């Protein structure tokens, strides 16, 4: 059966800065958690004006007691405007959209996120808290703020491992993929789930292929509608030996590493 | 609010524009699409099309440039997989057809024009003619006229031609279409538009501009065409409110198509239907025809 998609106006419960680079936006929703699949997204209309025009898609970061939240970073004018909204303001959203992660056996699974790509992996972490989640961040202050946020969001911290580019005794120094390599040396995994910059995900894929580990990647694209109508957000995939375009919003946003044509 | 185009009647003049509503399925999950006057489908071509490679959309101030490249499932899959759902709706169904040669359009018109549950065909002329060196049918008066003549001959179903606003004098094309016996013209498709990436100094995107940004441009064309042509004009371009839809009707449009704004506000068509009903009640008008063409 098709899951319900909500389209409604929502009141902001909170919109605040997390560390130096991230923001958390919480809004009141009628969405029932049963309809949310980890890896799905919501398409937000930031303001009622026409510039920027298009909605902006955000991974569902968390859902708790009628409150949905997204974690974001200021990337351009849309997210810049979003960051200026205050508690009590209204936004409208469409969602949950997309399919989320493909069904998998939890057994030997690992998640790897680069930067704000982590936003797409926490809800999965909350539901299946036995999966180690490796996150690569640039600054120590972001890592500390993130740990506080996880505590507050009731997302277990003990399986979350953070790598920070800035040299500091509290955290592993390096990138998310450096941290991944150390995990793979210690334990054998069957599946890696990942979201982050395209180059980082490509590195994760190359590492996984060498070790014969299956992969699922949560992709990001500029989207026109978020629902599969405008056909603007394509990804090139290999399908039955042929090259095809798929839509990140409707067919994804999660794709297996083998089907993606990496560039 | 009823209107007629050719022999087909539509319960109201608020339509969804081609390419912004798919084949109806996605929007039916979040709004009651049966309330619309009609849905104009995504363009259907004879064979399935993969569409363009690379970046397909970009945002501009109050607008969007797209270069999707007519990706669609093709005629056979359309009939087998999409038409059943469309036919089950209580709204008008207009099939947008596109081709690379005149014969492809004719073949589409013959097959689709003979099917039940379809209320009109809309000819998308903004496609390169591969037999004429890739010049768009919409850009050349002779091949435009030949195309419309051939499609008109192929079907008795109500026929709409969707004009391009980037082909010079839109009125000349509108008159040609009228002379070939089409039932209505859609004014208009997207405006040709480009962006350059200043870092690489290369074209970032080249495609068609839509969205609120083009509304005044489209309105200007609609005013000009409605003043000079006596067949129904369907206005399309940048509608984003009750007020913009009303402006098209006042200019003389018999129906309007909502495009890009469906993405921004999926219930915009329903809001406009409601808003126009209120406007008519307040002005004590019994028919939408009392608004249409009321511009002195």
């Amino acid at each position: 059966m098709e899951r319900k998609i909500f389209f409604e106006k929502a009141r902001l419960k909170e919109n605040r800065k997390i560390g130096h680079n991230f923001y958390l936006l919480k809004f009141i929703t009628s969405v029932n958690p049963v309809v949310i699949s980890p890896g799905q997204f919501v398409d937000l209309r930031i303001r009622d004006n026409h510039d920027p025009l298009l909605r902006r898609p955000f991974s569902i970061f968390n859902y708790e007691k009628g409150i949905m939240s997204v974690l974001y970073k200021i990337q351009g004018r849309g997210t810049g405007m979003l960051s200026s909204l205050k508690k009590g303001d209204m936004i409208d959203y469409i969602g949950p959209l997309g399919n989320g992660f493909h069904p998998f056996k939890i057994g030997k699974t690992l998640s790897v996120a680069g930067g704000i790509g982590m936003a797409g992996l926490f809800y999965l972490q909350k539901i299946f808290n036995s999966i180690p989640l490796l996150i690569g961040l640039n600054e120590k202050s972001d890592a500390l703020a993130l740990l506080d946020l996880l505590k507050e969001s009731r997302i277990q911290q003990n399986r979350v491992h953070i790598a920070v580019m800035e040299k500091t005794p509290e955290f592993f120094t390096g990138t998310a993929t450096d941290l991944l390599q150390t995990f793979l040396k210690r334990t054998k995994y069957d599946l890696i789930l990942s979201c982050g910059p395209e180059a980082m995900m490509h590195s994760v894929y190359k590492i996984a292929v060498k070790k014969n580990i299956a992969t699922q990647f949560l992709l990001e694209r500029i989207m026109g509608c978020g629902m599969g109508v405008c056909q603007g957000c394509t990804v090139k995939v290999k399908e039955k030996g042929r090259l095809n375009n798929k839509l990140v919003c409707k067919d994804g946003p999660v794709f297996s590493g083998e089907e993606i044509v990496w560039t | 609010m009823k209107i007629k185009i050719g022999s087909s009647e539509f319960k109201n003049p608020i339509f969804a524009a081609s390419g912004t509503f798919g084949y109806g399925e996605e929007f039916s999950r979040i709004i009651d699409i049966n309330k619309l006057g009609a849905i104009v489908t995504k363009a259907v071509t004879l064979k399935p099309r993969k569409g363009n490679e690379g970046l397909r959309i970009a945002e501009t101030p109050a607008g969007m440039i797209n270069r999707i490249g007519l990706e669609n499932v093709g005629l056979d899959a359309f009939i087998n997989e999409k038409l059943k759902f469309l036919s089950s709706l209580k709204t008008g169904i207009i099939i947008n057809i596109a081709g690379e040669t005149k014969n492809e359009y004719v073949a589409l018109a013959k097959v689709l024009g003979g099917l039940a549950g379809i209320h009109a065909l809309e000819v998308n002329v903004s496609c390169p003619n591969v037999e004429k060196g890739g010049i768009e049918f919409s850009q050349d008066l002779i091949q435009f006229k030949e195309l419309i003549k051939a499609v008109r001959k192929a079907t008795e179903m109500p026929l709409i031609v969707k004009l391009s606003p980037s082909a010079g004098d839109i009125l000349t094309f509108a008159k040609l279409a009228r002379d070939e016996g089409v039932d209505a013209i859609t004014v208009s498709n997207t405006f040709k538009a480009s962006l350059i990436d200043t870092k690489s100094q290369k074209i970032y995107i080249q495609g068609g501009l839509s969205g609120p940004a083009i509304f005044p441009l489209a309105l200007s064309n609609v005013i000009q065409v409605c003043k000079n042509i006596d067949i129904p004009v369907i206005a399309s371009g940048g509608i984003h409110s009750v007020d913009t839809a009303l402006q098209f009707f006042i200019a003389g449009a018999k129906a309007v198509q909502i495009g890009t704004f469906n993405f921004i506000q999926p219930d915009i068509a329903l809001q406009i239907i409601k808003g126009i009903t209120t406007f008519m009640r307040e002005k004590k008008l019994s028919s939408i025809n009392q608004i249409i063409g009321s511009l002195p």
Side-chain angles (χ1 to χ4, degrees), chain A residues 36-48:
Chain A
I36 309 172
S37 183
Q40 285 191 296
F41 62 95
V42 285
D43 216 4
L44 301 185
R45 186 166 181 212
I46 293 164
R47 286 261 164 99
D48 273 355

Side-chain angles (χ1 to χ4, degrees), chain A residues 2-3 5 7 45 50 52-56 94 223-225 227 229-231 234 236 243-245 250, chain B residues 20-22 26-27 29-30 42 50 53 56-57 59 61-63 68 71 212 240 261 263-264 266-267:
Chain A
E2 283 194 322
R3 287 161 187 263
I5 298 173
F7 164 46
R45 186 166 181 212
H50 300 150
L53 180 68
L54 300 174
R55 288 172 178 270
R56 297 289 191 266
I94 306 172
M223 291 180 184
C225 70
M227 294 189 291
V229 175
C230 79
Q231 303 189 299
T234 51
K236 181 147 273 198
L243 293 183
N244 259 329
N245 286 318
K250 193 183 181 184
Chain B
T20 66
F21 222 74
E26 291 83 5
F27 277 95
R29 296 182 65 189
I30 52 175
K42 171 137 195 72
K50 274 188 177 178
E53 298 298 331
R56 286 181 167 191
I57 56 169
E59 194 177 44
I68 307 300
E71 176 171 342
H240 55 273
F261 221 71
F263 305 151
I264 319 306
D267 63 350

Side-chain angles (χ1 to χ4, degrees), chain A residues 8-226:
Chain A
E8 63 179 7
K9 284 208 184 315
R11 191 167 295 283
L12 292 198
K13 184 94 178 136
E14 198 178 327
N15 189 22
R16 71 167 207 269
K17 205 165 181 181
I18 305 291
H20 280 143
N21 291 295
F22 305 113
Y23 290 81
L24 178 75
L25 179 100
K26 289 186 178 179
F27 55 92
I28 298 163
T29 171
S30 332
V31 169
N32 178 316
V34 176
V35 306
I36 309 172
S37 183
Q40 285 191 296
F41 62 95
V42 285
D43 216 4
L44 301 185
R45 186 166 181 212
I46 293 164
R47 286 261 164 99
D48 273 355
N49 57 19
H50 300 150
D51 189 25
L53 180 68
L54 300 174
R55 288 172 178 270
R56 297 289 191 266
F58 297 92
S59 287
I60 296 172
F61 165 72
N62 195 10
Y63 171 90
E64 211 170 37
K65 294 178 187 155
I67 311 280
M68 197 182 273
S69 51
V70 300
L71 188 66
Y72 64 99
K73 185 179 174 179
I74 297 183
Q75 310 267 24
R77 289 180 53 234
T79 37
M81 270 189 183
L82 188 63
S83 72
S84 69
L85 298 186
K86 302 268 182 298
K87 181 181 177 178
D89 287 349
M90 302 296 285
I91 49 163
D92 96 42
Y93 74 90
I94 306 172
L97 294 169
N99 303 296
F101 288 95
H102 309 160
F104 59 89
K105 273 202 291 199
I106 297 171
K108 289 284 179 192
T109 301
L110 183 73
S111 298
V112 191
I116 191 58
M118 64 186 168
L121 292 166
F122 284 114
Y123 195 61
L124 185 87
Q125 185 70 18
K126 181 163 181 160
I127 293 177
F128 310 110
N129 54 31
S130 61
I131 301 172
L133 168 58
L134 321 185
I135 301 171
L137 296 171
N138 285 326
E139 297 173 33
K140 173 186 154 186
S141 57
D142 286 338
L144 293 172
L146 181 67
L147 289 176
D148 285 343
L149 175 64
L150 295 184
K151 198 188 255 173
E152 167 200 318
S153 311
R154 289 188 230 188
I155 295 170
Q156 283 208 10
Q157 290 178 36
N158 57 356
R159 306 306 308 259
V160 175
H161 306 269
I162 302 178
V164 178
M165 293 301 286
E166 185 184 348
K167 214 167 179 165
T168 154
E170 295 102 312
F171 297 103
F172 176 91
T173 308
T175 63
T177 44
D178 295 336
L179 186 56
L180 172 66
Q181 298 275 24
T182 68
F183 268 74
L184 295 183
K185 264 182 208 149
R186 289 204 300 260
T187 316
K188 191 180 172 335
Y189 288 95
D190 304 325
L191 173 66
I192 297 175
L193 311 172
S194 182
C195 182
E198 207 101 350
M200 172 248 165
M201 288 194 285
H202 194 185
S203 305
V204 169
Y205 176 64
K206 284 192 270 194
I207 292 166
V209 166
K210 267 191 203 150
K211 303 208 178 254
N212 212 8
I213 305 171
T215 46
Q216 292 185 23
F217 293 94
L218 198 168
L219 303 186
E220 286 189 297
R221 284 290 183 281
I222 295 171
M223 291 180 184
C225 70

Side-chain angles (χ1 to χ4, degrees), chain B residues 2-44:
Chain B
K2 277 184 194 163
I3 59 141
K4 244 180 131 179
I5 289 169
S7 54
S8 291
E9 193 174 77
F10 299 91
K11 65 181 161 198
N12 69 58
I14 312 300
F15 300 176
S18 179
T20 66
F21 222 74
Y23 304 107
E25 292 143 319
E26 291 83 5
F27 277 95
S28 72
R29 296 182 65 189
I30 52 175
I31 61 159
D32 181 5
I33 63 175
N34 284 316
K35 289 193 171 142
L36 269 71
I39 294 170
V40 188
T41 66
K42 171 137 195 72
V44 176

